[in-house]
Amino acid sequence: MRIALARSLAVFCLCACASLLYVWTGLVEIGHGRSKRALGTSGAAVLTRQPDKQSPKTFRALLEGHVVHKARFGAHKNINNHTGYGSATGNLKVEQTNLNTHNSNHRQVHTGLHGLVEDGVFWSDRLESLLPRGFSNAHAQSWKNETRASQIVSLEKGCGRTSNRLARFSNGTKACVRYGINPDQVQGETLSYYLASLLGIPNLPPLVLSQVNPNSEQWSRVRGEVMESQWSENAVVSLTEWVSNLTGVVTPAPLRHEGRRLHPLQEDLDNRTTGEVLELVQWTDLILFDYLTANFDRLVSNVFSLQWDSRVMERDTSNLHKVPSGGLVFIDNEAGLVHGYRVLEMWQKYHETLLSSVCLFRKITASRIFDMHRLQDAAARLLILYRDSEPLAPELGFLSEDQAGILQNRVNQLYKHILNCKEKYSQF
């Protein structure tokens, strides 16, 4: 009896030990799994704070997945604006697609330089005729007249910096109101716009100035919003046309990698569709324009960031967007001219790097640069256009004498650069 009892007790103890071992093993596995998930979460957080070469892409993929999911169920809403901040597609990486893809001419693939380049370094007249129209002078003048005559009926947060606002007008249009941390930024935005007009570059949205006055007819209906914004009364702000249906723009391949170059050579332009080439035409204007204005807050900042972010050129370029027709839109030019000239020493080598990468030019842009070099009157021309076009020009002010000298010097440098390119490629 004792032997049977002892055997039963032994069996019971053995089963109990086995059960405990099983339960303990399961707990260890569960705990280990939790530990792995916790480490993964922690690791992701660390990567977000201290990105390595892979993390921007990883983080961006997560962001894109979230945004695409939201956009799919809210596609009926128009959520894009010309600031690109906070818009669903403004943060998405956009493939370099053909312009006007419904047009078979824009899908034509080119081999060689025939039909693309004339006189060595100039984009052909045929390409010029195919370019998206951009913001025409007639459209700009019409928009300016209507905006100056319309009441602002609401102010909403948006358009980038927290001090800026999205304004809705009584005529149904919208505009970005840029207050600026200091007047230099509004001045830079405004003078950059008029310099682009002088150069024949149609990629900047129309702009007018307005003086914040809650007692004026234009601002009276948003008196409360103005008070909440903490803007200074009588401050001069810029109003730029709000543009819908914008997508981001990635730097094109010829300018994306180390040794970037866009010259009139077959290897730089071969096997590209007409649509792709038309976008490159606009990029050459952009690089010359940002060099003139010393605007570092676009492609130049990307080149600078390559020191620690090797994939920065694979993501959307700051302050640059594209409309469905393929036209590029140069926005947020606050860093141009005034502030850009003040910090020029820090950014100049990056401006020079980008300028040296380009040896193809639009004829009209080069022609205007040649004229301003020949007459040495870049600042004088800009002042005349600005003063004649903008009633509030005296309130906002103009370039200092030193800044006017820098502008002329950069015009002269562009002139020399174009001549050097012509000399190098005139035989082709």
Side-chain angles (χ1 to χ4, degrees):
M1 181 68 180
R2 289 179 178 178
I3 294 173
L5 183 62
R7 287 177 177 175
S8 298
L9 184 61
V11 171
F12 175 77
C13 290
L14 183 62
C15 290
C17 289
S19 298
L20 286 172
L21 180 62
Y22 175 79
V23 171
W24 181 82
T25 303
L27 290 173
V28 169
E29 289 179 351
I30 293 172
H32 182 57
R34 285 178 181 169
S35 176
K36 286 194 292 186
R37 286 194 291 273
L39 283 172
T41 304
S42 174
V46 170
L47 286 174
T48 301
R49 289 194 300 268
Q50 298 177 337
D52 60 16
K53 291 183 179 180
Q54 299 297 326
S55 61
K57 181 178 179 181
T58 303
F59 179 76
R60 195 171 192 82
L62 292 171
L63 178 63
E64 288 179 8
H66 174 65
V67 172
V68 169
H69 179 74
K70 289 175 64 178
R72 185 175 298 140
F73 293 96
H76 63 285
K77 295 182 179 179
N78 183 7
I79 51 181
N80 298 320
N81 60 50
H82 85 256
T83 68
Y85 296 101
S87 66
T89 58
N91 292 322
L92 295 180
K93 180 176 178 180
V94 178
E95 296 297 327
Q96 296 298 297
T97 56
N98 298 343
L99 304 174
N100 293 328
T101 52
H102 63 278
N103 188 332
S104 60
N105 290 332
H106 289 177
R107 294 194 295 269
Q108 177 185 353
V109 177
H110 294 269
T111 55
L113 303 180
H114 179 71
L116 303 181
V117 179
E118 297 174 357
D119 300 328
V121 296
F122 298 112
W123 296 110
S124 69
D125 291 338
R126 173 180 172 275
L127 284 177
E128 290 273 0
S129 69
L130 293 174
L131 279 173
R133 290 184 59 193
F135 302 95
S136 67
N137 290 335
H139 167 80
Q141 193 57 53
S142 174
W143 183 88
K144 291 177 185 180
N145 292 340
E146 290 182 10
T147 300
R148 289 191 176 110
S150 298
Q151 278 190 312
I152 300 173
V153 296
S154 72
L155 288 174
E156 305 167 11
K157 290 185 178 180
C159 296
R161 192 180 296 109
T162 56
S163 61
N164 296 339
R165 293 292 185 271
L166 176 64
R168 296 177 185 271
F169 289 86
S170 55
N171 65 353
T173 62
K174 293 181 283 187
C176 278
V177 184
R178 303 192 186 282
Y179 178 74
I181 296 174
N182 57 61
D184 287 358
Q185 293 177 318
V186 177
Q187 196 178 64
E189 176 89 17
T190 305
L191 295 179
S192 293
Y193 169 73
Y194 284 108
L195 182 60
S197 298
L198 275 183
L199 294 169
I201 297 176
N203 301 79
L204 280 69
L207 174 151
V208 296
L209 297 178
S210 182
Q211 198 160 25
V212 179
N213 181 359
N215 298 317
S216 68
E217 184 176 358
Q218 184 164 57
W219 293 90
S220 61
R221 293 176 63 177
V222 290
R223 183 180 286 106
E225 290 98 319
V226 170
M227 299 300 291
E228 290 176 6
S229 70
Q230 298 184 335
W231 291 345
S232 299
E233 191 169 344
N234 295 322
V236 177
V237 297
S238 65
L239 309 176
T240 53
E241 182 180 7
W242 187 90
V243 184
S244 62
N245 299 320
L246 294 178
T247 54
V249 183
V250 178
T251 307
L255 300 171
R256 190 183 308 162
H257 306 292
E258 188 175 353
R260 60 189 58 83
R261 185 188 68 186
L262 185 54
H263 286 201
L265 296 171
Q266 183 166 339
E267 54 265 38
D268 290 5
L269 297 173
D270 216 10
N271 295 318
R272 301 191 184 280
T273 66
T274 300
E276 289 169 338
V277 175
L278 289 175
E279 188 166 311
L280 292 176
V281 173
Q282 297 172 83
W283 272 91
T284 58
D285 259 359
L286 174 65
I287 290 174
L288 266 61
F289 178 63
D290 281 356
Y291 180 86
L292 271 184
T293 62
N295 188 342
F296 56 86
D297 195 19
R298 199 160 13 232
L299 189 58
V300 166
S301 62
N302 282 0
V303 176
F304 174 75
S305 298
L306 282 171
Q307 299 172 79
W308 55 79
D309 184 357
S310 63
R311 300 195 175 195
V312 65
M313 291 292 202
E314 299 174 18
R315 298 190 289 276
D316 290 349
T317 304
S318 299
N319 302 326
L320 182 66
H321 294 281
K322 182 164 60 175
V323 294
S325 67
L328 299 185
V329 183
F330 309 169
I331 66 165
D332 292 2
N333 297 287
E334 297 170 328
L337 293 168
V338 185
H339 185 54
Y341 288 173
R342 183 179 296 118
V343 296
L344 184 56
E345 185 176 349
M346 174 181 176
W347 298 97
Q348 177 60 12
K349 66 178 181 180
Y350 304 104
H351 286 293
E352 290 177 347
T353 295
L354 282 172
L355 180 61
S356 65
S357 70
V358 171
C359 259
L360 280 164
F361 316 97
R362 288 181 65 220
K363 291 178 182 177
I364 186 172
T365 310
S367 174
R368 302 287 173 86
I369 290 169
F370 281 24
D371 286 345
M372 287 189 282
H373 167 76
R374 179 172 55 86
L375 297 174
Q376 293 291 294
D377 65 346
R381 288 189 188 204
L382 179 58
L383 176 59
I384 291 170
L385 178 61
Y386 170 52
R387 186 183 58 200
D388 291 349
S389 305
E390 183 48 66
L392 288 174
E395 296 289 336
L396 186 61
F398 189 63
L399 300 174
S400 68
E401 186 175 345
D402 286 345
Q403 291 164 346
I406 294 173
L407 173 59
Q408 186 61 56
N409 180 63
R410 296 180 85 72
V411 167
N412 297 341
Q413 291 301 315
L414 281 184
Y415 170 79
K416 292 178 182 177
H417 176 69
I418 296 172
L419 286 188
N420 288 338
C421 288
K422 280 179 63 67
E423 183 177 353
K424 182 175 182 179
Y425 293 110
S426 60
Q427 70 272 22
F428 292 98

